[in-house]
Amino acid sequence: MLIFTEEEIREYVKINKESIDEIEAAFTDLKTKDVQMPPIMRVDIPEHNGEVDIKSAFIPGYEMFALKISSGFFNNYQLGLPSTDGLMFLINALNGQPEALLYDNGYLTDVRTAAAGAVAAKYMANEQLETVGVIGAGAQARYQLIALKVVREYKHVLVAGKSKRRLQEFKEEIESTLAVPVTILETPKEVTEQSDLVITATPSSEPIIQDSWVKEGLHITAMGADAQHKNEIDPMILKRANYYVADVLSQCEILGELRAALEKGVVTKDHSIMELGDITSRAEKIRTSTNDITIADLTGTGAQDTRIALYAYKKLTEEK
């Protein structure tokens, strides 16, 4: 079995058009192929504000598939540790033998999640963006902005979060790597009201964006609600939105922002809901007006994990 370290993986796998295209293809696979993707297995460790997820998917046409174990321990910043971690196995689909261990410490999950945000923005956000808002200042908030830059130009970033130290580090890193000015604001309200696109990247269990703050034309990429107790945006926004798009409907009904809206009775299962694969498989942008309000609800899929793991394996074995 081949073993690849985080250092090796980071050298060969970047957030760029190529990796974003791989993740776009994963969403299309979910619509065009008989993908075998079991429900997420999850272990919560509430006393340490932690969680561990196991995701997988077999995509027909490939000789291997990924089994991914990822963790999120959201008090780790207090210990000087990253909030997320994990690794991926590639398993031979012909005989069940383990072929490779991608010991990425969660890096590939960060890449594929950021890429999904870019895919959503590519098909859902307005073409012209002036200001992008981010709520949360962790690794995924940074990666989302890097991926977004591949599909949309923007001139200014606004950010709000809980830790002043992390916010300052976020500001310095984004200004250095993306050459985009970053303004730290006190509240999510200020960020939302002043932005053309908002990314939420938090483990919040209560809405951090309220309906009354959302202006016409706003696109929201919500990627923090990946568990039954999480909720980043006011369910009323889903009712008001012109387009709400789930990465996978069955997951969003129990994990995502849709779950909270269903529980509140704000929307029903009869509500017209698309999946991201519906859009990517047709390669059609869904906006009919620059004033449309759009929401992408990203809970993370095993298909993304298999595609990014196979992509990494190819880069590492063919180019290394």
Side-chain angles (χ1 to χ4, degrees):
M1 183 175 69
L2 298 175
I3 299 175
F4 299 103
T5 65
E6 179 186 1
E7 183 179 11
E8 294 172 298
I9 295 166
R10 282 182 178 271
E11 182 180 353
Y12 287 92
V13 179
K14 308 293 184 182
I15 296 175
N16 53 27
K17 184 179 184 303
E18 193 175 51
S19 58
I20 291 169
D21 287 346
E22 284 290 327
I23 298 309
E24 179 171 340
F27 290 112
T28 299
D29 287 340
L30 287 168
K31 287 297 172 181
T32 60
K33 298 180 180 180
D34 184 23
V35 176
Q36 300 298 305
M37 190 169 71
I40 300 167
M41 179 181 172
R42 176 183 186 80
V43 180
D44 286 310
I45 302 94
E47 58 263 46
H48 299 297
N49 197 16
E51 61 195 42
V52 178
D53 292 339
I54 300 175
K55 296 179 180 178
S56 184
F58 166 66
I59 302 172
Y62 293 98
E63 293 186 357
M64 293 185 288
F65 67 97
L67 176 67
K68 193 267 298 276
I69 301 171
S70 62
S71 63
F73 279 67
F74 301 107
N75 294 339
N76 275 5
Y77 72 93
Q78 299 171 352
L79 307 173
L81 296 173
S83 296
T84 57
D85 212 319
L87 51 81
M88 297 187 183
F89 291 98
L90 276 171
I91 299 170
N92 192 307
L94 304 177
N95 56 34
Q97 296 295 305
E99 296 283 355
L101 170 62
L102 301 169
Y103 189 25
D104 65 318
N105 292 314
Y107 174 67
L108 291 175
T109 295
D110 282 334
V111 171
R112 64 81 151 149
T113 304
V119 172
K122 173 183 173 180
Y123 287 103
M124 299 175 67
N126 275 315
E127 292 285 345
Q128 302 299 320
L129 299 176
E130 186 78 18
T131 303
V132 174
V134 185
I135 302 173
Q140 189 50 223
R142 294 165 164 81
Y143 288 129
Q144 286 284 335
L145 287 175
I146 294 168
L148 179 62
K149 208 77 165 67
V150 178
V151 300
R152 288 289 188 278
E153 284 297 324
Y154 52 89
K155 299 178 180 178
H156 193 193
V157 171
L158 307 176
V159 64
K162 292 182 177 180
S163 168
K164 291 184 179 179
R165 175 181 61 80
R166 295 178 87 193
L167 287 167
Q168 187 59 40
E169 290 172 352
F170 175 92
K171 173 181 169 68
E172 292 171 2
E173 182 176 336
I174 294 302
E175 290 182 339
S176 172
T177 58
L178 297 181
V180 176
V182 177
T183 300
I184 299 171
L185 297 179
E186 290 294 324
T187 65
K189 182 177 187 290
E190 295 172 283
V191 171
T192 304
E193 290 179 339
Q194 297 178 44
S195 299
D196 304 309
L197 183 153
V198 172
I199 298 161
T200 59
T202 77
S204 180
S205 57
E206 297 290 338
I208 52 175
I209 295 183
Q210 298 300 322
D211 180 40
S212 60
W213 308 344
V214 173
K215 64 182 181 182
E216 289 187 344
L218 183 68
H219 171 75
I220 300 172
T221 294
M223 46 72 56
D226 57 357
Q228 287 91 336
H229 64 281
K230 294 182 181 180
N231 179 203
E232 292 187 298
I233 65 177
D234 182 350
M236 288 301 297
I237 304 173
L238 272 68
K239 183 177 182 180
R240 185 156 70 96
N242 298 88
Y243 298 100
Y244 161 87
V245 175
D247 55 2
V248 174
L249 178 57
S250 59
Q251 283 187 187
C252 289
E253 287 178 342
I254 59 175
L255 300 176
E257 300 300 332
L258 180 58
R259 173 203 60 80
L262 290 170
E263 288 183 1
K264 297 285 187 182
V266 172
V267 299
T268 69
K269 290 188 178 182
D270 295 328
H271 197 74
S272 178
I273 295 171
M274 287 185 287
E275 292 185 331
L276 200 47
D278 293 321
I279 302 169
T280 62
S281 61
R282 297 195 302 267
E284 292 179 358
K285 297 177 181 179
I286 64 171
R287 276 184 176 265
T288 58
S289 166
T290 56
N291 289 329
D292 285 346
I293 295 170
T294 56
I295 300 170
D297 194 357
L298 305 179
T299 56
T301 72
Q304 291 168 253
D305 293 320
T306 286
R307 288 293 300 231
I308 199 65
L310 289 170
Y311 171 72
Y313 181 84
K314 181 179 179 181
K315 299 286 283 187
L316 287 158
T317 55
E318 292 184 359
E319 298 184 20
K320 188 175 177 181

